[in-house]
Amino acid sequence: MLNDDVDRYISLRHALGYKLVKAGRHLRAFACFAADRGETHIRVSSVLSWLAIVARTPGARARRLTDLILFARFVHAEDSRHEIPRADVKRISEKRPVPYIYTADEITRILEMAGKLRHQRPNPLRRQLYVMLFGLIAATGLRVSEALALKLDDIRDGGVLHIRETKFRKSRLVPLHVTVVQALETYLEARRQHAGVCDWLFPSVQHREMFSTTVNYTFRCILRRAGVAPERRQQPRIHDLRHTFATRVLEQCGARSTLRRFVDLSGPCRYPKHLLVS
């Protein structure tokens, strides 16, 4: 019963433009938990019992409780037998991480270390893939999720990427600098030898879309080997490459004709030169 309600709720929110990736997992997990207890309606006691099992930190507990409260309000409007939990969890003020702006030398070291990753028999494309992935993000300012979702058909003629339905379900075209196009062609040649008929631009070992957790773990390993910001308490992120891209573009906007120059520079940026050598 609750599983059906969860599906209806998620479908409605999807139609309104929400993705609900994590929230969907949380709600389905709770619905299964309630079903195992023989419950067809939301009970506050079950919510608290579930949170105590699955949420190890106050922040995780607050996020899951928020998802359940919104869902409970939705089903309670149709059936008053559903109980709405109180938002009595003390919230931790979640501050956005301070962006880390990479230097050109740091980006060079990151990509060099990516090119020295240990060979893995299941993934012979590992080095070329990560060099191209991180280099593309640095050169275009893509979100990591956008880069991982790219397929071969998204590479348009004339060096343009088609970024499909990303944040807020918007799509856009990203023009590439000629140096980025050259690096991409080199990568595609290596990819053709190992990835077969897989559609993903950056395929996993199973020839599927790569998991962001795998990519983030690899990036953290590369950062340590590259010696990037070892003294920093919070390690820089892949997303900081996007912040760096935006910062460098703004730095190039001089005081004269700022608007015109911004329009000129907001398009393609160069690919790190040393990566153009295969």
Side-chain angles (χ1 to χ4, degrees):
M1 181 71 175
L2 272 178
N3 280 301
D4 294 338
D5 291 331
V6 168
D7 289 339
R8 287 194 302 109
Y9 173 74
I10 292 176
S11 295
L12 176 62
R13 297 292 299 277
H14 281 171
L16 295 174
Y18 295 92
K19 292 188 176 180
L20 297 187
V21 177
K22 291 184 179 179
R25 289 201 299 265
H26 297 162
L27 295 178
R28 289 191 173 97
F30 172 75
C32 292
F33 177 81
D36 290 341
R37 293 164 66 103
E39 298 174 350
T40 58
H41 292 77
I42 296 176
R43 296 286 176 260
V44 172
S45 58
S46 294
V47 170
L48 296 179
S49 297
W50 180 71
L51 290 175
I53 296 172
V54 300
R56 298 181 180 179
T57 65
R61 186 183 179 197
R63 284 190 293 273
R64 286 164 174 77
L65 181 59
T66 298
D67 294 334
L68 282 169
I69 289 174
L70 294 175
F71 171 59
R73 289 173 181 169
F74 170 79
V75 291
H76 179 81
E78 301 174 344
D79 187 343
S80 60
R81 288 177 293 177
H82 290 286
E83 298 176 3
I84 302 177
R86 294 177 54 189
D88 58 353
V89 177
K90 183 178 180 182
R91 292 185 175 278
I92 300 176
S93 57
E94 296 185 2
K95 297 181 180 179
R96 288 180 176 270
V98 177
Y100 183 85
I101 307 304
Y102 296 97
T103 65
D105 178 66
E106 287 174 334
I107 293 177
T108 295
R109 299 206 308 269
I110 288 171
L111 299 177
E112 286 178 346
M113 289 300 104
K116 296 179 181 179
L117 285 170
R118 182 166 53 90
H119 275 300
Q120 293 180 341
R121 183 171 296 178
N123 188 8
L125 194 64
R126 189 173 186 233
R127 290 179 176 178
Q128 297 96 322
L129 185 150
Y130 280 111
V131 170
M132 187 67 233
L133 174 62
F134 298 144
L136 182 66
I137 294 173
T140 61
L142 293 180
R143 300 178 179 90
V144 63
S145 59
E146 295 171 344
L148 295 181
L150 285 171
K151 293 187 175 183
L152 296 179
D153 290 344
D154 294 326
I155 304 174
R156 301 289 188 85
D157 293 337
V160 175
L161 293 181
H162 185 195
I163 311 301
R164 302 175 187 272
E165 293 192 15
T166 60
K167 195 171 184 179
F168 305 120
R169 294 202 170 186
K170 294 182 178 179
S171 299
R172 68 185 189 279
L173 298 176
V174 177
L176 303 178
H177 191 274
V178 62
T179 54
V180 185
V181 175
Q182 293 172 10
L184 188 57
E185 289 175 349
T186 301
Y187 166 73
L188 289 174
E189 181 59 35
R191 184 192 173 286
R192 275 190 286 269
Q193 300 175 21
H194 302 291
V197 295
C198 175
D199 291 336
W200 300 103
L201 179 59
F202 300 110
S204 69
V205 175
Q206 295 80 19
H207 291 179
R208 301 172 184 170
E209 181 178 3
M210 296 185 71
F211 288 113
S212 59
T213 50
T214 303
V215 176
N216 283 318
Y217 172 77
T218 303
F219 188 75
R220 290 194 296 270
C221 294
I222 289 172
L223 281 184
R224 288 194 294 270
R225 295 175 186 175
V228 176
E231 75 291 343
R232 202 169 190 256
R233 182 176 180 182
Q234 186 174 30
Q235 211 173 22
R237 306 160 301 159
I238 299 176
H239 195 67
D240 290 323
L241 291 171
R242 177 175 169 84
H243 291 298
T244 301
F245 169 84
T247 300
R248 299 307 177 211
V249 168
L250 289 173
E251 285 178 345
Q252 296 177 58
C253 299
R256 295 182 304 171
S257 304
T258 301
L259 179 59
R260 179 181 61 79
R261 294 186 63 191
F262 179 77
V263 172
D264 291 344
L265 291 169
S266 62
C269 286
R270 294 180 180 275
Y271 197 80
K273 291 181 179 178
H274 70 290
L275 291 180
L276 296 177
V277 180
S278 57

